[in-house]
PDB file of all heavy atoms in Angstrom:
ATOM      1  N   GLY D  20      -3.031  26.554   8.754  1.00 98.00           N
ATOM      2  CA  GLY D  20      -2.836  27.200   7.449  1.00 98.00           C
ATOM      3  C   GLY D  20      -2.758  26.216   6.307  1.00 98.00           C
ATOM      4  O   GLY D  20      -2.245  26.542   5.239  1.00 98.00           O
ATOM      5  N   ALA D  23      -7.605  23.475   4.397  1.00 98.00           N
ATOM      6  CA  ALA D  23      -8.914  23.785   4.981  1.00 98.00           C
ATOM      7  C   ALA D  23      -8.916  25.195   5.572  1.00 98.00           C
ATOM      8  O   ALA D  23      -9.826  25.991   5.300  1.00 98.00           O
ATOM      9  CB  ALA D  23      -9.270  22.755   6.051  1.00 98.00           C
ATOM     10  N   LYS D  45       1.501  26.858  13.453  1.00 98.00           N
ATOM     11  CA  LYS D  45       2.764  26.623  14.168  1.00 98.00           C
ATOM     12  C   LYS D  45       3.926  26.413  13.198  1.00 98.00           C
ATOM     13  O   LYS D  45       5.083  26.461  13.591  1.00 98.00           O
ATOM     14  CB  LYS D  45       2.625  25.454  15.142  1.00 98.00           C
ATOM     15  CG  LYS D  45       2.395  24.099  14.529  1.00 98.00           C
ATOM     16  CD  LYS D  45       2.294  23.028  15.614  1.00 98.00           C
ATOM     17  CE  LYS D  45       1.983  21.667  15.025  1.00 98.00           C
ATOM     18  NZ  LYS D  45       1.922  20.605  16.041  1.00 98.00           N
ATOM     19  N   THR D  46       3.577  26.132  11.925  1.00 96.00           N
ATOM     20  CA  THR D  46       4.578  26.118  10.860  1.00 96.00           C
ATOM     21  C   THR D  46       4.327  27.383  10.040  1.00 96.00           C
ATOM     22  O   THR D  46       3.409  28.126  10.333  1.00 96.00           O
ATOM     23  CB  THR D  46       4.315  24.927   9.922  1.00 96.00           C
ATOM     24  OG1 THR D  46       2.950  25.014   9.483  1.00 96.00           O
ATOM     25  CG2 THR D  46       4.517  23.608  10.638  1.00 96.00           C
ATOM     26  N   SER D  51       2.431  23.521   5.873  1.00 97.00           N
ATOM     27  CA  SER D  51       1.399  22.635   6.443  1.00 97.00           C
ATOM     28  C   SER D  51       1.455  21.300   5.708  1.00 97.00           C
ATOM     29  O   SER D  51       1.886  21.231   4.558  1.00 97.00           O
ATOM     30  CB  SER D  51       0.015  23.245   6.217  1.00 97.00           C
ATOM     31  OG  SER D  51      -0.034  24.533   6.775  1.00 97.00           O
ATOM     32  N   HIS D  52       0.944  20.242   6.350  1.00 97.00           N
ATOM     33  CA  HIS D  52       1.062  18.926   5.706  1.00 97.00           C
ATOM     34  C   HIS D  52       0.371  18.850   4.344  1.00 97.00           C
ATOM     35  O   HIS D  52       0.776  18.076   3.477  1.00 97.00           O
ATOM     36  CB  HIS D  52       0.553  17.811   6.628  1.00 97.00           C
ATOM     37  CG  HIS D  52       0.833  16.465   6.048  1.00 97.00           C
ATOM     38  ND1 HIS D  52       2.109  16.041   5.766  1.00 97.00           N
ATOM     39  CD2 HIS D  52       0.012  15.479   5.621  1.00 97.00           C
ATOM     40  CE1 HIS D  52       2.066  14.840   5.207  1.00 97.00           C
ATOM     41  NE2 HIS D  52       0.802  14.473   5.110  1.00 97.00           N
ATOM     42  N   SER D  53      -0.643  19.689   4.141  1.00 97.00           N
ATOM     43  CA  SER D  53      -1.328  19.706   2.833  1.00 97.00           C
ATOM     44  C   SER D  53      -0.346  19.839   1.674  1.00 97.00           C
ATOM     45  O   SER D  53      -0.608  19.342   0.577  1.00 97.00           O
ATOM     46  CB  SER D  53      -2.291  20.895   2.752  1.00 97.00           C
ATOM     47  OG  SER D  53      -3.366  20.755   3.631  1.00 97.00           O
ATOM     48  N   GLY D  58      -1.266  12.712  -4.854  1.00 91.00           N
ATOM     49  CA  GLY D  58      -2.014  12.064  -5.936  1.00 91.00           C
ATOM     50  C   GLY D  58      -3.101  12.874  -6.581  1.00 91.00           C
ATOM     51  O   GLY D  58      -3.285  12.802  -7.796  1.00 91.00           O
ATOM     52  N   GLY D  59      -3.864  13.668  -5.808  1.00 96.00           N
ATOM     53  CA  GLY D  59      -4.879  14.458  -6.470  1.00 96.00           C
ATOM     54  C   GLY D  59      -6.139  14.726  -5.683  1.00 96.00           C
ATOM     55  O   GLY D  59      -6.242  14.405  -4.507  1.00 96.00           O
ATOM     56  N   VAL D 167      -0.528  27.449  19.119  1.00 98.00           N
ATOM     57  CA  VAL D 167      -1.761  27.657  19.892  1.00 98.00           C
ATOM     58  C   VAL D 167      -1.836  26.550  20.937  1.00 98.00           C
ATOM     59  O   VAL D 167      -1.735  25.360  20.619  1.00 98.00           O
ATOM     60  CB  VAL D 167      -2.997  27.653  18.982  1.00 98.00           C
ATOM     61  CG1 VAL D 167      -4.275  27.720  19.811  1.00 98.00           C
ATOM     62  CG2 VAL D 167      -2.932  28.827  18.025  1.00 98.00           C
ATOM     63  N   ASP D 221      -2.924  18.504  17.829  1.00 98.00           N
ATOM     64  CA  ASP D 221      -3.119  19.537  18.871  1.00 98.00           C
ATOM     65  C   ASP D 221      -4.561  20.031  18.935  1.00 98.00           C
ATOM     66  O   ASP D 221      -5.115  20.231  20.022  1.00 98.00           O
ATOM     67  CB  ASP D 221      -2.232  20.768  18.600  1.00 98.00           C
ATOM     68  CG  ASP D 221      -0.758  20.438  18.558  1.00 98.00           C
ATOM     69  OD1 ASP D 221      -0.340  19.457  19.192  1.00 98.00           O
ATOM     70  OD2 ASP D 221      -0.019  21.176  17.860  1.00 98.00           O
ATOM     71  N   GLU D 387      -8.981  17.837   7.944  1.00 98.00           N
ATOM     72  CA  GLU D 387      -8.716  16.538   8.571  1.00 98.00           C
ATOM     73  C   GLU D 387      -9.019  16.549  10.069  1.00 98.00           C
ATOM     74  O   GLU D 387      -9.364  15.516  10.648  1.00 98.00           O
ATOM     75  CB  GLU D 387      -7.254  16.130   8.315  1.00 98.00           C
ATOM     76  CG  GLU D 387      -6.982  14.710   8.748  1.00 98.00           C
ATOM     77  CD  GLU D 387      -5.645  14.168   8.279  1.00 98.00           C
ATOM     78  OE1 GLU D 387      -5.049  14.743   7.339  1.00 98.00           O
ATOM     79  OE2 GLU D 387      -5.177  13.180   8.864  1.00 98.00           O
ATOM     80  N   SER D 403      -9.787  13.722   0.447  1.00 98.00           N
ATOM     81  CA  SER D 403      -9.482  14.593   1.579  1.00 98.00           C
ATOM     82  C   SER D 403      -9.182  16.022   1.140  1.00 98.00           C
ATOM     83  O   SER D 403      -9.692  16.982   1.715  1.00 98.00           O
ATOM     84  CB  SER D 403      -8.293  14.042   2.359  1.00 98.00           C
ATOM     85  OG  SER D 403      -7.889  15.002   3.289  1.00 98.00           O
ATOM     86  N   LEU D 404      -8.363  16.151   0.087  1.00 98.00           N
ATOM     87  CA  LEU D 404      -8.144  17.507  -0.431  1.00 98.00           C
ATOM     88  C   LEU D 404      -9.493  18.105  -0.812  1.00 98.00           C
ATOM     89  O   LEU D 404      -9.763  19.279  -0.576  1.00 98.00           O
ATOM     90  CB  LEU D 404      -7.211  17.465  -1.650  1.00 98.00           C
ATOM     91  CG  LEU D 404      -5.766  17.017  -1.394  1.00 98.00           C
ATOM     92  CD1 LEU D 404      -4.955  17.124  -2.685  1.00 98.00           C
ATOM     93  CD2 LEU D 404      -5.102  17.848  -0.310  1.00 98.00           C
TER      94      LEU D 404
HETATM   95  C1  LIG G  11       2.083  12.468   2.251  1.00 83.51           C
HETATM   96  C2  LIG G  11       0.605  12.733   2.113  1.00 83.51           C
HETATM   97  C3  LIG G  11       0.007  12.722   0.861  1.00 83.51           C
HETATM   98  C4  LIG G  11      -1.360  12.946   0.730  1.00 83.51           C
HETATM   99  N1  LIG G  11      -1.909  12.934  -0.522  1.00 83.51           N
HETATM  100  C5  LIG G  11      -3.227  13.214  -0.647  1.00 83.51           C
HETATM  101  C6  LIG G  11      -3.826  13.278  -1.945  1.00 83.51           C
HETATM  102  O1  LIG G  11      -3.172  13.114  -2.968  1.00 83.51           O
HETATM  103  N2  LIG G  11      -5.150  13.549  -2.024  1.00 83.51           N
HETATM  104  C7  LIG G  11      -5.927  13.755  -0.926  1.00 83.51           C
HETATM  105  O2  LIG G  11      -7.118  14.000  -1.057  1.00 83.51           O
HETATM  106  N3  LIG G  11      -5.369  13.723   0.316  1.00 83.51           N
HETATM  107  C8  LIG G  11      -4.049  13.468   0.468  1.00 83.51           C
HETATM  108  N4  LIG G  11      -3.500  13.445   1.731  1.00 83.51           N
HETATM  109  C9  LIG G  11      -4.323  13.860   2.881  1.00 83.51           C
HETATM  110  C10 LIG G  11      -4.458  15.377   2.871  1.00 83.51           C
HETATM  111  O3  LIG G  11      -3.285  15.956   2.345  1.00 83.51           O
HETATM  112  C11 LIG G  11      -4.691  15.955   4.256  1.00 83.51           C
HETATM  113  O4  LIG G  11      -5.710  15.256   4.909  1.00 83.51           O
HETATM  114  C12 LIG G  11      -5.091  17.428   4.160  1.00 83.51           C
HETATM  115  O5  LIG G  11      -4.175  18.133   3.365  1.00 83.51           O
HETATM  116  C13 LIG G  11      -5.185  18.055   5.533  1.00 83.51           C
HETATM  117  O6  LIG G  11      -5.341  19.435   5.400  1.00 83.51           O
HETATM  118  P1  LIG G  11      -5.744  20.332   6.639  1.00 83.51           P
HETATM  119  O7  LIG G  11      -5.895  21.713   6.124  1.00 83.51           O
HETATM  120  O8  LIG G  11      -6.875  19.723   7.348  1.00 83.51           O
HETATM  121  O9  LIG G  11      -4.478  20.230   7.631  1.00 83.51           O
HETATM  122  P2  LIG G  11      -2.910  20.400   7.413  1.00 83.51           P
HETATM  123  O10 LIG G  11      -2.536  20.652   6.011  1.00 83.51           O
HETATM  124  O11 LIG G  11      -2.272  19.246   8.110  1.00 83.51           O
HETATM  125  O12 LIG G  11      -2.583  21.730   8.211  1.00 83.51           O
HETATM  126  C14 LIG G  11      -2.651  21.814   9.609  1.00 83.51           C
HETATM  127  C15 LIG G  11      -2.288  23.226  10.021  1.00 83.51           C
HETATM  128  O13 LIG G  11      -2.544  23.407  11.402  1.00 83.51           O
HETATM  129  C16 LIG G  11      -1.441  24.044  12.016  1.00 83.51           C
HETATM  130  N5  LIG G  11      -1.422  23.657  13.421  1.00 83.51           N
HETATM  131  C17 LIG G  11      -1.579  22.421  13.956  1.00 83.51           C
HETATM  132  N6  LIG G  11      -1.502  22.471  15.295  1.00 83.51           N
HETATM  133  C18 LIG G  11      -1.295  23.784  15.618  1.00 83.51           C
HETATM  134  C19 LIG G  11      -1.109  24.481  16.837  1.00 83.51           C
HETATM  135  N7  LIG G  11      -1.099  23.856  18.007  1.00 83.51           N
HETATM  136  N8  LIG G  11      -0.903  25.801  16.798  1.00 83.51           N
HETATM  137  C20 LIG G  11      -0.879  26.466  15.602  1.00 83.51           C
HETATM  138  N9  LIG G  11      -1.052  25.854  14.410  1.00 83.51           N
HETATM  139  C21 LIG G  11      -1.254  24.532  14.431  1.00 83.51           C
HETATM  140  C22 LIG G  11      -0.247  23.558  11.213  1.00 83.51           C
HETATM  141  O14 LIG G  11       0.859  24.420  11.364  1.00 83.51           O
HETATM  142  C23 LIG G  11      -0.828  23.586   9.801  1.00 83.51           C
HETATM  143  O15 LIG G  11      -0.763  24.894   9.278  1.00 83.51           O
HETATM  144  C24 LIG G  11      -2.142  13.201   1.872  1.00 83.51           C
HETATM  145  C25 LIG G  11      -1.543  13.224   3.132  1.00 83.51           C
HETATM  146  C26 LIG G  11      -0.201  12.967   3.254  1.00 83.51           C
HETATM  147  C27 LIG G  11       0.384  12.947   4.636  1.00 83.51           C
END
Side-chain angles (χ1 to χ4, degrees):
K45 66 179 177 178
T46 54
S51 303
H52 187 60
S53 292
V167 174
D221 301 333
E387 189 169 342
S403 170
L404 294 184

